[in-house]
């Protein structure tokens, strides 16, 4: 089995619609794909309706979190009940803050002399949940930076950067608790991917999250080199955490291909076993 547990669609900041994403996942030879758009489950229904035969959909979301010490991190949540009221309310708070935050970053960029407009960013975001990758794409269009990753630096959109603006984010310990209460499973996303504008999180903080109920760590990821992967795999072993691998696919917005990194079938089976809020959706040829 080939299993990719971290992808994005136009429901957040990917460039494939949910239907296109599952069709592309099947074409890439995947058996299981997780749709984990940022702070939203809006793409799940379309993805499920379009599932090709033989492909299984894992419903999920990538939750925006920040520790009390100011460390930004992302938490992958799988197979939770999307209608659980408390978790749904928190996701809505994060989503509702995305537009004011994006407008604030556009204003900061204009103050820095960049001729970006809100209309340009809104056009790029389309129906998705607007975020930094859409603003980064605008900077690429304007020739300010050469690529989307180049925008995630202190000069521009990285945490604390000149054009950065804060938004409502979940406390990660509360997020782990909420996802578990909704029957879901949590995996810490790309914890050492600082170049993507997400700060390094210390091993002590990961250990605290494990003590609070975190299920796993995303180890095999395009932004983790061999040293980072070995470090995280050893840490996961010490803490009794699951280890996953994923593409973090964003369509044409990132260079990583669907299925470039995958999760061991036994780990996937354990994630499904632990989940009680939802079940993977098997493709029926839609």
């Amino acid at each position: 089995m080939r299993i990719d547990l971290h992808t994005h669609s136009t429901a957040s900041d990917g460039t494939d619609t949910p239907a296109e994403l599952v069709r592309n996942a099947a074409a890439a030879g995947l058996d299981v794909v997780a749709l984990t758009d940022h702070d939203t489950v809006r793409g799940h229904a379309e993805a499920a309706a379009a599932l090709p035969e033989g492909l299984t959909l894992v419903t999920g979301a990538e939750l925006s979190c920040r520790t009390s010490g100011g460390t930004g991190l992302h938490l992958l949540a799988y197979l939770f009940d999307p209608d659980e009221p408390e978790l749904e309310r928190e996701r809505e708070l994060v989503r509702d803050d995305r537009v004011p935050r994006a407008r604030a970053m556009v204003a900061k960029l204009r103050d820095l002399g960049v001729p970006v407009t809100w209309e340009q960013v809104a056009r790029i975001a389309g129906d998705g949940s607007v975020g930094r990758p859409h603003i980064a794409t605008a900077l690429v269009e304007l020739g300010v930076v050469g690529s989307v990753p180049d925008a995630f630096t202190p000069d521009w959109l990285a945490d604390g950067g000149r054009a950065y603006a804060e938004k409502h984010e979940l406390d990660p310990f509360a997020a782990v608790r909420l996802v578990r209460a909704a029957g879901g499973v949590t995996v810490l996303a790309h914890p050492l991917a600082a170049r993507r504008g997400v700060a390094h999180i210390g091993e002590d903080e990961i250990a605290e999250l494990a003590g609070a109920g975190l299920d796993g760590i995303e180890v095999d990821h395009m932004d983790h080199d061999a040293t980072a992967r070995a470090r995280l795999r050893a840490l996961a072993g010490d803490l009794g955490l699951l280890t996953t691998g994923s593409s973090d696919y964003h369509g044409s917005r990132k260079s990583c291909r669907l299925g470039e990194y995958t999760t061991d079938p036994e780990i996937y089976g354990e994630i499904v076993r632990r989940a009680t809020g939802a079940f993977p959706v098997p493709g029926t040829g839609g």
Side-chain angles (χ1 to χ4, degrees):
M1 291 180 69
R2 298 189 67 237
I3 302 158
D4 189 338
L5 293 182
H6 185 173
T7 71
H8 297 273
S9 75
T10 52
S12 64
D13 57 349
T15 58
D16 293 357
T17 66
E20 290 169 340
L21 188 143
V22 294
R23 288 195 290 268
N24 289 337
L30 290 176
D31 299 289
V32 179
V33 66
L35 180 55
T36 52
D37 280 311
H38 292 284
D39 307 303
T40 185
V41 299
R42 191 166 53 85
H44 290 175
E46 180 183 335
L51 266 181
E53 186 172 1
L55 181 67
T56 294
L57 174 68
V58 172
T59 54
E62 186 172 11
L63 304 178
S64 304
C65 301
R66 188 167 297 274
T67 68
S68 58
T71 301
L73 58 91
H74 291 167
L75 195 70
L76 292 162
Y78 300 115
L79 298 172
F80 56 87
D81 176 2
D83 297 320
E84 197 286 320
E86 193 173 357
L87 180 57
E88 183 178 20
R89 182 167 56 251
E90 286 294 333
R91 293 199 316 273
E92 288 175 352
L93 286 172
V94 176
R95 290 198 308 273
D96 289 348
D97 204 31
R98 282 184 172 271
V99 170
R101 185 231 196 171
R103 284 184 175 275
M105 287 190 284
V106 167
K108 288 187 175 186
L109 286 166
R110 292 184 65 82
D111 288 343
L112 292 168
V114 178
V116 63
T117 66
W118 171 249
E119 289 74 19
Q120 180 187 14
V121 173
R123 169 183 57 79
I124 293 167
D127 293 330
S129 298
V130 65
R132 280 186 287 180
H134 301 119
I135 301 171
T137 301
L139 295 182
V140 174
E141 287 185 353
L142 293 167
V144 176
V145 296
S147 68
V148 167
D150 291 341
F152 286 85
T153 67
D155 280 341
W156 304 113
L157 302 176
D159 282 13
R162 294 188 302 165
Y164 177 78
E166 293 185 354
K167 71 175 186 294
H168 176 81
E169 292 172 299
L170 283 161
D171 174 85
F173 296 94
V176 167
R177 175 182 60 81
L178 289 170
V179 173
R180 173 165 285 196
V185 176
T186 53
V187 171
L188 182 61
H190 44 67
L192 300 186
R195 76 175 180 85
R196 302 178 66 253
V198 180
H200 282 280
I201 179 171
E203 293 185 5
D204 289 345
E205 290 176 298
I206 295 176
E208 290 176 8
L209 284 169
L214 179 72
D215 292 283
I217 304 175
E218 186 179 51
V219 172
D220 295 313
H221 184 278
M222 67 177 294
D223 289 342
H224 290 160
D225 60 18
T227 299
R229 292 176 196 176
R231 172 186 165 193
L232 288 171
R233 209 173 297 279
L235 179 63
D238 290 342
L239 298 175
L241 295 172
L242 305 175
T243 58
T244 68
S246 314
S247 66
D248 197 359
Y249 175 77
H250 282 70
S252 62
R253 197 159 275 134
K254 286 182 65 175
S255 61
C256 197
R257 303 183 308 275
L258 279 164
E260 188 165 343
Y261 301 95
T262 56
T263 294
D264 184 277
E266 291 187 7
I267 298 293
Y268 166 65
E270 180 61 19
I271 289 172
V272 174
R273 188 191 68 77
R274 294 185 187 189
T276 60
F279 298 98
V281 182
T284 56

